């Protein structure tokens, strides 16, 4: 793991040195009278942003807080690639970006992940997420009444690699293949809530494939102001792929964005549902809480079950310069185990957020969200990209 961290920093330092070298060469070749005036705030913000001929790189710190992991501090470069054809609208509506992130928490949790989104000129869309984490967490049981009982702390090392490869059928429709690889190792388990009768008790390896369909009419994939984004996919994990148990998961995700008067005021809506059939390991059951789902529940594994649903709305308001604010409210629930009903013990979350646009002419934002949950708990997230 030390080697992985060392390589991450070496790659980051090499990229930054290349950026500084290119930036210096570019500044030396531009007459001073041709350089536009910028504000003092822009100069400060641009200290973290570097322009290269083929990419824009922004480097920002990150910070998150969860009850079990504590405060996590890290670094997150955002690399947005430029098309050779400067006339293409896809650079604005569907840009290609790579976002690596490294963080370490006060309670010893290590997170390293890479998010990659690419749209090619010949109609292919590649989306991938690679994540490695070494952390202490807890199992609260399966069902929607987890906070009423005991829990089992455990240590988990987890490698996740998932995403999709899709071909554009029309300007707004994509059809493709979704893949999911999950490697988990669980140790140092305490208590009897997590026991050998639970699928995935000591970890394991799962791999699945399945079809995905996406409809995307958003004016920008990273910070939409209008349009819709709908996706539906099913992933199958048969035993002949090497899985210990056979199971399948199906997910439907429906999103709508609309401007109120102008693009400075945006309403965003999402309806989401995920269903599991078969014997999935507990750590792959649908959850309703994390930095991209219900943001007011401070432990992502507190509520897990065979099925989950989520409905929410968010108001996004441009405030000033590169700064925007948000207000959000969310409803969700898990169900399926022991006959739990989908509307039994529904959970809620609400909160507010801060947004900072990393590059003036791009739509990738630094995001800070403070959410509050049903039991008086709260969670704070600093990251990049919208929750939905």
């Amino acid at each position: 793991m030390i080697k992985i961290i060392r390589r991450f920093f070496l790659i980051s330092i090499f990229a930054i040195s290349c950026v500084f070298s290119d930036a210096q060469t570019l500044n030396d070749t531009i007459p001073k009278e041709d350089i536009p005036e910028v504000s003092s705030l822009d100069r400060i913000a641009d200290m973290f942003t570097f322009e290269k001929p083929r990419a824009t790189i922004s480097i920002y710190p990150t910070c998150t807080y969860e009850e079990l992991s504590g405060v996590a501090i890290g670094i997150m470069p955002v690399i947005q690639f430029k098309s050779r054809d400067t006339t293409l609208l896809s650079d604005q509506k569907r840009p290609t970006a790579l976002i690596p992130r490294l963080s370490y928490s006060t309670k010893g949790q290590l997170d390293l992940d890479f998010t990659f989104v690419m749209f090619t000129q010949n109609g292919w869309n590649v989306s991938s997420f690679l994540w490695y984490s070494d952390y202490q967490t807890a199992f609260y049981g399966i069902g929607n009444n987890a906070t009423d009982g005991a829990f089992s702390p455990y240590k988990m090392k987890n490698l996740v690699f998932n995403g999709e490869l899709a071909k554009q059928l029309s300007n707004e429709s994509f059809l493709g293949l979704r893949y999911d690889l999950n490697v988990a190792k669980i140790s140092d388990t305490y208590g009897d809530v997590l026991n050998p009768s639970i699928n995935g008790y000591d970890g394991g390896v799962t791999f699945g494939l399945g079809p995905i369909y996406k409809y995307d009419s958003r004016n920008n994939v990273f910070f939409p102001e209008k349009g819709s984004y709908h996706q539906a996919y099913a992933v199958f994990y048969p035993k002949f792929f090497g899985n210990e148990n056979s199971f399948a998961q199906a997910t439907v995700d429906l999103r709508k964005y609309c401007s109120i008067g102008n693009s400075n005021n945006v309403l965003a809506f999402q309806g989401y549902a995920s269903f599991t059939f078969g014997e999935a390991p507990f750590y792959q059951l649908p959850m309703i809480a994390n930095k991209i789902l219900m943001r007011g529940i401070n432990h992502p594994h507190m509520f897990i079950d065979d099925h989950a649903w989520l409905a929410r709305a968010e108001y996004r308001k441009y405030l000033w310069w590169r700064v925007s604010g948000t207000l959000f409210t969310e409803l969700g629930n898990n169900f399926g185990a022991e006959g739990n009903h989908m509307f039994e013990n529904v959970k809620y979350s609400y909160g507010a957020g801060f947004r900072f646009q990393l590059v003036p002419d791009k739509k990738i934002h630094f995001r800070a969200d403070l959410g509050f949950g049903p039991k008086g708990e709260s969670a704070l997230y600093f990251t990049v990209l919208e929750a939905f």
Side-chain angles (χ1 to χ4, degrees), residues 62-64 76 101 291 365-368 381-385:
T62 65
C63 178
T64 60
M76 180 162 46
R101 181 181 65 92
K291 65 183 179 182
H365 287 73
F366 178 82
R367 170 165 67 96
Y381 298 102
F382 292 83
T383 184
V384 167
L385 302 181

Side-chain angles (χ1 to χ4, degrees), residues 247-261:
F247 66 100
Q249 292 183 318
T251 300
V252 177
D253 185 354
L254 308 175
R255 310 179 190 183
K256 177 65 177 177
Y257 308 89
C258 51
S259 298
I260 307 174

